[in-house]
Amino acid sequence: MLDYQKWFPEARYGMFIHWGLYSLLGRGEWVMHLDDISPSEYNKLASSFNPGHFEAEKWARLAREAGMKYMVMTAKHHDGFCLFDSKYTDFTSVKTASGRDFVREYVEACRNEGLKVGIYFSCKDWQIPAYFQGPEKAPEQWAAFIEYYGNQLTELMTNYGKIDILWFDGCDQPDLSSYPYKSFLWNAAELEVKIRRLQPGILINNRSGMHADFSTPEQEIPRNGPLSELRECCLTISRSWGYAHGDRCRDFDSILNELTACACNGVNLLLNVSPDPDGVIPADQQNTLLKAGSWLKRNGEAFYGTERQLPPWWEYNSCGPVSTKGNLAYLFVQRYPLDGRIFLGKFKNNFSSACVLGSGQRLSVFRDGNRTVIEGLPKEAPDDICTVIRLESEMALSPWLLKK
Ligand code: JFZ
């Protein structure tokens, strides 16, 4: 891992924000395409996109209180509407009803809350006919399209201060999905040099054909992949990336299980919220994030900066999964032992001490034949969400945890 990448696994947890013109229609961020709305019809929405309650500070404060360490916001999604100031198009929030540079307000709010700043940028742009025609049918128009989006990327990398993450998306074209030199067609190599010169230390994801600093499995938590690879899974907290009427936040326990699985696999979690047209994150999404954040305040040590494990995470103990950091292991007690005792028989290491995270309550630890026994857990689980026990071993644990 390179120095400029070191903060990423330690940060572990970010807020993804899908918000834009599509939020007005309340049917997700693909509505323009899926409902076959023409650009002339769709673009009328810009005259009524004037969110009265947009406060980036509230988003950033929620992210911090949720235990998140970075944010990624859609500066431009596939619909082509820019939430930032651009001299290359009038289809921006600055030049339409709101007259606001939402990306500027967002990056400032992130920094005020001590969060790293991520920008989502879609290369795919449904406003541009050349995108649909492709480089073979419309080479000159395609070249102009590539120059357009390259110019916008330069604006984002130049005019908004230090950007920590560039989250590319949509670098695909209907006729080119199997094309072997996709990155060439998106001018990825030249753009990457410019981006990394403008923003030294920026992390770029794996969706552009550029050199990827991290991979982005979507709606799944990866277990395999090269040990050296940085991975960030992106999940929706509800059932839609962009705001959808009637959408509901997924149940808290599934979000908690995903946080735990990411800790135990050494994977970052980018958890998406979908602000309504007025810029307000739905209350059920806020409540779920804050509840998980209260648990992370007590148990974050078991979550931030944890390592990869081999074999890929599954449960190494009857009580629940385990994350590791150096010579420390963290047991997520999802099945609480009625007799207050836990048996660790599969680990290659012995453990010399144990305590309950959060409360610090020390537990007794001793060897019993070929396994370690932990005793002293109270009858009631110390943590009403999920108790985590910190175990100290005599040597580093990762990546192999289990006895051969
Ligand atoms: C893309 C976008 O189309 C979507 O709107 C959202 O922004 C999401 C985070 O990213 O969705 C994808 C991208 C890639 C795949 C599937 C959905 N994929 O590679 O299977």
Side-chain angles (χ1 to χ4, degrees):
M1 196 184 309
L2 302 169
D3 279 349
Y4 73 91
Q5 295 173 325
K6 287 208 183 326
W7 69 266
F8 195 60
E10 192 55 45
R12 181 61 79 237
Y13 191 22
M15 176 185 276
F16 209 174
I17 302 157
H18 277 71
W19 188 61
L21 277 194
Y22 44 80
S23 307
L24 281 167
L25 296 179
R27 298 196 297 278
E29 74 288 357
W30 270 68
V31 62
M32 178 182 173
H33 182 77
L34 295 174
D35 290 11
D36 205 10
I37 305 172
S38 67
S40 57
E41 188 57 31
Y42 182 83
N43 298 359
K44 289 175 187 167
L45 291 169
S47 61
S48 47
F49 188 65
N50 188 8
H53 294 91
F54 172 83
E55 288 183 65
E57 192 54 46
K58 284 186 175 176
W59 291 3
R61 193 175 312 124
L62 172 65
R64 178 177 52 76
E65 290 172 357
M68 294 163 158
K69 306 298 182 186
Y70 63 99
M71 298 172 80
V72 177
M73 174 183 167
T74 51
K76 183 179 88 168
H77 205 267
H78 308 335
D79 63 349
F81 186 66
C82 303
L83 297 179
F84 61 95
D85 195 12
S86 173
K87 65 182 182 187
Y88 300 99
T89 176
D90 291 339
F91 195 45
T92 79
S93 56
V94 176
K95 296 175 186 172
T96 53
S98 75
R100 292 167 71 174
D101 186 331
F102 293 115
V103 169
R104 183 167 308 287
E105 295 180 47
Y106 154 76
V107 300
E108 288 169 358
C110 279
R111 294 176 191 131
N112 290 342
E113 294 294 332
L115 303 172
K116 295 279 192 181
V117 177
I119 295 277
Y120 167 109
F121 184 84
S122 172
C123 306
K124 187 199 308 252
D125 189 326
W126 294 326
Q127 299 292 324
I128 314 286
Y131 166 73
F132 295 98
Q133 295 161 322
E136 293 172 339
K137 293 173 190 153
E140 287 176 20
Q141 296 87 337
W142 180 268
F145 166 48
I146 296 303
E147 184 182 3
Y148 167 70
Y149 104 91
N151 287 336
Q152 289 193 322
L153 272 170
T154 303
E155 289 179 312
L156 285 166
M157 297 297 109
T158 306
N159 303 336
Y160 293 90
K162 180 165 173 32
I163 305 298
D164 300 290
I165 295 174
L166 181 53
W167 216 96
F168 271 109
D169 195 23
C171 290
D172 51 51
Q173 196 278 340
D175 303 338
L176 299 177
S177 51
S178 57
Y179 203 87
Y181 305 109
K182 183 171 72 173
S183 60
F184 168 74
L185 293 167
W186 293 97
N187 195 24
E190 182 183 318
L191 264 178
E192 179 178 0
V193 170
K194 180 184 282 191
I195 289 163
R196 293 194 189 273
R197 177 173 46 80
L198 290 169
Q199 292 287 345
I202 194 168
L203 296 189
I204 299 176
N205 76 354
N206 67 335
R207 293 193 182 188
S208 70
M210 297 181 182
H211 165 77
D213 292 302
F214 62 95
S215 61
T216 56
E218 184 159 325
Q219 300 291 32
E220 60 168 356
I221 295 168
R223 295 184 174 185
N224 295 307
L227 268 181
S228 60
E229 180 184 71
L230 291 179
R231 302 166 304 165
E232 175 197 72
C233 69
C234 51
L235 307 176
T236 51
I237 198 169
S238 59
R239 288 167 178 75
S240 175
W241 296 104
Y243 178 71
H245 289 309
D247 191 17
R248 290 189 307 278
C249 191
R250 291 188 292 115
D251 70 284
F252 177 77
D253 283 342
S254 62
I255 304 292
L256 184 68
N257 285 340
E258 287 151 4
L259 285 166
T260 302
C262 286
C264 298
N265 282 276
V267 177
N268 277 35
L269 172 58
L270 188 63
L271 189 58
N272 183 78
V273 295
S274 48
D276 68 17
D278 225 13
V280 178
I281 296 170
D284 60 348
Q285 297 180 16
Q286 294 195 44
N287 296 336
T288 296
L289 288 178
L290 291 173
K291 185 176 178 183
S294 70
W295 178 74
L296 282 171
K297 281 191 180 69
R298 301 189 294 273
N299 300 287
E301 178 185 329
F303 175 69
Y304 300 110
T306 51
E307 300 152 335
R308 295 286 301 279
Q309 294 165 16
L310 294 173
W313 166 73
W314 52 66
E315 295 188 356
Y316 299 143
N317 179 273
S318 65
C319 290
V322 171
S323 68
T324 62
K325 210 184 301 183
N327 67 329
L328 296 173
Y330 301 93
L331 173 61
F332 295 78
V333 188
Q334 295 176 340
R335 290 176 288 282
Y336 195 75
L338 294 177
D339 61 359
R341 294 197 298 169
I342 293 176
F343 301 95
L344 303 174
K346 294 289 185 192
F347 293 86
K348 70 182 183 198
N349 293 53
N350 298 327
F351 294 102
S352 52
S353 71
C355 72
V356 175
L357 268 193
S359 69
Q361 180 197 344
R362 295 193 69 77
L363 302 169
S364 69
V365 186
F366 57 92
R367 290 294 290 174
D368 167 18
N370 62 353
R371 62 186 184 175
T372 299
V373 182
I374 298 168
E375 279 189 347
L377 276 168
K379 201 148 183 62
E380 292 299 314
D383 192 300
D384 61 341
I385 292 180
C386 178
T387 298
V388 180
I389 295 175
R390 178 204 291 140
L391 299 161
E392 190 165 357
S393 92
E394 72 279 3
M395 66 172 79
L397 288 149
S398 182
W400 290 101
L401 284 190
L402 303 180
K403 296 170 183 167
K404 297 287 186 195

